[in-house]
Amino acid sequence: MSDTHLSERDAAALEVLNWFAHEDDYADLDTHGACERLGEAIRCETVNSDPATTDWSAFDRLHDLMRSSYPHVMEAATFEVIGHSVLVTIAGSDSSLKPALMMAHQDVVPVVAGTEDDWCEPAFSGAVDEHFVWGRGTMDIKQMVMAELEAAEYVLAHGGSFARTLYLAFGEDEETYNTGAAALARTLEGRGVTLEYVWDEGSSSVADGALYGAPGTPFLSVELSEKGYVDVELAVRSIGGHSSNPFGGTSLGTLSQAIARIVEAPYPLALSPLTAATFKALAPRITEEPFCSLVGAEGELVEGNEAALAEACASRADLFPYVTTTIAPTMIEGGSQQPNVMPQDMRAVVNFRLAAGTTVDDVLARCRAAVEGLPVEVRLLQGNDPSAVGCFTGYGFAQLSAVLGHFFCDPRTGEPLTCAPAISRGATDAHNYERICDTCMRFSPFLVTEAEETRGVHGTDERLPRRSYAQGIRAIIRMIEQTCLA
Ligand SMILES: [Zn+2]
């Protein structure tokens, strides 16, 4: 960086720009105006942590901003507000093509109370300085909401004629209940729509192949599936009493036994087709054992070595969650406050993250079987099954890989970054569309460094390099051009 005024932290954050290629595409893109409009969107405080107290007028203001900022979109498209979610439909001329859907969510998480003053710029300032757009939502994920509109506006303003219908779908409560995206998906399903692909938020940093035995190989991780989620409560009743006579055991002892039995019956390991595909995509660059000899130079050995690969992944902290259903006891309540008093009623919560093939019902049945014979009640607090394994060999993934490879390259070699299909450990709104789409892709094309992502997403000093925002808009424009235009 030639700018001598950059702090060390800013300079490190801007290192992400080294991955960028073809920033001169769409030379007339109004990147300055786009950043200002993103700042304005940030100032609409669409915090939605509890629908009962949510200020819906902030969502109304965001909708007004959309309506007033994108005249070509408003002219060409239908703009529907469903609940507080938004569905934009740009109709294509060729009804034989399945529509595409690009999405994101309008809601943001609140600023943690007491940390307001830790921000370099107020969290909802939407400040735009020389290098960054600042504020809650610049990484998660208002930048994607606004960039999809910016891209559609650009394409339409340049006379683009849509053959494939494009939907832009913006939920209202991704961070909490997912009802907005569910309603949008139901609306489309009710209209008989099936989709060619869905593009939603996901990873926004460059991954390091070191994890898979390919050190020094950067790649982009496009997530095509989500793990499931279950919270199970274990409860033990007891009237307590003096600890000099613990006849029959204490509630704490029983609860501990129950937790131990559940944890000691781990789920089997399995290599998902997505993790297998990651190994295949990185195969030529994998140099480290044990992966090197299990994968083969062209990935030809992956089939047949699934069990050994799953085992090797399970021994690494970062890969372990991808090859099994995980079991994490997280809460325990009701222990005695005194050493000589037995605890009364106690409860514990165990959190499970479900690999493909495991269902919520399986988890419950397994817990009940594990605690059999103990006076423990097992209750489901909440749960959802893992999503389907998305299609990574079809049209949508190939098109997105081509787009991302065009704009993000290894500066040392000039080669496009490889896109590898992956599993998401978290959840987004995308799974809502699975009933009408077999290719739900999660990737945020607004690259930031891992350090910025870790600090900013749901944290302090959420901000986005202006050039990252512009580059993400370019990627979306190109995806629209490649897949939707006549
Ligand atoms: Zn998000």
Side-chain angles (χ1 to χ4, degrees):
M1 286 286 113
S2 56
D3 192 332
T4 49
H5 303 296
L6 277 179
S7 71
E8 222 169 279
R9 184 179 138 196
D10 290 351
L14 295 175
E15 272 172 24
V16 77
L17 307 175
N18 294 335
W19 302 109
F20 291 10
H22 296 109
E23 284 185 275
D24 50 354
D25 283 9
Y26 315 119
D28 62 341
L29 181 65
D30 176 18
T31 59
H32 178 79
C35 289
E36 294 295 334
R37 286 184 285 275
L38 175 58
E40 238 175 285
I42 299 304
R43 287 191 284 280
C44 303
E45 293 190 36
T46 50
V47 174
N48 185 9
S49 52
D50 174 1
T53 58
T54 296
D55 172 16
W56 294 111
S57 73
F59 286 75
D60 297 339
R61 285 197 300 282
L62 182 59
H63 301 164
D64 288 343
L65 176 66
M66 293 175 182
R67 287 193 189 92
S68 61
S69 302
Y70 305 108
H72 291 88
V73 174
M74 295 307 134
E75 163 96 40
T78 52
F79 184 93
E80 295 171 86
V81 178
I82 296 170
H84 305 278
S85 298
V86 169
L87 182 64
V88 177
T89 308
I90 304 171
S93 56
D94 185 346
S95 59
S96 72
L97 295 172
K98 284 198 285 183
L101 184 139
M102 296 181 180
M103 56 185 288
H105 57 89
Q106 306 167 78
D107 57 308
V108 295
V109 295
V111 174
V112 176
T115 66
E116 293 86 350
D117 296 338
D118 299 344
W119 288 63
C120 291
E121 297 284 347
F124 293 98
S125 68
V128 182
D129 67 19
E130 193 188 344
H131 296 289
F132 297 96
V133 185
W134 291 80
R136 176 63 83 231
T138 51
M139 286 182 181
D140 184 11
I141 186 85
K142 252 180 207 163
Q143 87 280 34
M144 195 146 168
V145 170
M146 296 300 279
E148 288 172 3
L149 288 160
E150 294 283 346
E153 178 71 15
Y154 182 91
V155 169
L156 289 165
H158 287 73
S161 141
F162 281 68
R164 186 190 302 280
T165 294
L166 174 65
Y167 295 104
L168 307 180
F170 308 128
E172 68 201 54
D173 57 354
E174 191 274 347
E175 303 288 2
T176 52
Y177 301 105
N178 299 111
T179 62
L184 295 176
R186 269 197 313 275
T187 299
L188 292 175
E189 196 177 9
R191 292 175 188 172
V193 172
T194 56
L195 300 166
E196 182 63 44
Y197 68 81
V198 165
W199 184 3
D200 190 15
E201 64 171 324
S203 162
S204 62
S205 57
V206 177
D208 183 352
L211 198 55
Y212 297 89
T217 300
F219 71 101
L220 302 176
S221 194
V222 177
E223 294 157 349
L224 282 140
S225 175
E226 293 168 16
K227 292 190 79 175
Y229 183 106
V230 173
D231 288 326
V232 171
E233 181 191 66
L234 308 172
V236 182
R237 313 257 164 239
S238 168
I239 53 165
H242 198 282
S243 64
S244 60
N245 185 6
F247 182 77
T250 73
S251 53
L252 176 56
T254 306
L255 195 54
S256 306
Q257 253 184 299
I259 295 169
R261 284 194 197 173
I262 289 170
V263 172
E264 281 163 11
Y267 284 79
L269 304 177
L271 192 73
S272 150
L274 291 168
T275 308
T278 304
F279 278 114
K280 284 184 196 163
L282 297 174
R285 314 291 289 272
I286 294 179
T287 53
E288 287 186 349
E289 297 297 355
F291 296 130
C292 190
S293 39
L294 291 173
V295 169
E298 300 300 326
E300 73 281 4
L301 302 180
V302 170
E303 261 111 49
N305 278 331
E306 286 97 340
L309 278 167
E311 192 115 354
C313 290
S315 67
R316 299 193 169 200
D318 289 332
L319 293 179
F320 165 69
Y322 297 115
V323 291
T324 192
T325 293
T326 55
I327 309 171
T330 49
M331 296 170 67
I332 192 157
E333 285 170 12
S336 171
Q337 301 304 308
Q338 288 207 66
N340 62 348
V341 175
M342 292 193 291
Q344 299 193 356
D345 294 349
M346 289 193 71
R347 68 188 281 271
V349 176
V350 184
N351 175 246
F352 297 78
R353 303 298 175 107
L354 283 53
T358 307
T359 64
V360 176
D361 291 343
D362 294 340
V363 170
L364 266 186
R366 222 176 147 99
C367 287
R368 294 209 163 99
V371 304
E372 214 187 294
L374 294 174
V376 174
E377 291 162 36
V378 175
R379 195 165 71 93
L380 175 69
L381 295 181
Q382 58 171 327
N384 54 270
D385 290 334
S387 74
V389 174
C391 171
F392 55 89
T393 52
Y395 176 82
F397 185 73
Q399 294 293 320
L400 184 58
S401 300
V403 166
L404 297 179
H406 179 78
F407 288 111
F408 303 111
C409 291
D410 188 335
R412 298 162 304 176
T413 61
E415 278 177 42
L417 294 190
T418 299
C419 287
I423 303 167
S424 170
R425 272 147 64 180
T428 71
D429 271 344
H431 66 266
N432 287 290
Y433 294 92
E434 273 179 5
R435 283 197 314 275
I436 56 172
C437 186
D438 69 359
T439 307
C440 296
M441 304 179 288
R442 300 155 182 89
F443 185 81
S444 307
F446 315 92
L447 291 197
V448 291
T449 62
E450 241 182 275
E452 286 283 302
E453 192 174 29
T454 304
R455 180 177 37 228
V457 174
H458 295 203
T460 298
D461 276 350
E462 187 172 349
R463 63 178 182 174
L464 182 69
R466 294 169 58 144
R467 280 170 61 191
S468 297
Y469 185 49
Q471 191 74 336
I473 297 170
R474 290 185 196 102
I476 298 170
I477 293 174
R478 194 170 164 100
M479 188 70 173
I480 293 174
E481 286 182 345
Q482 263 181 215
T483 65
C484 296
L485 296 194

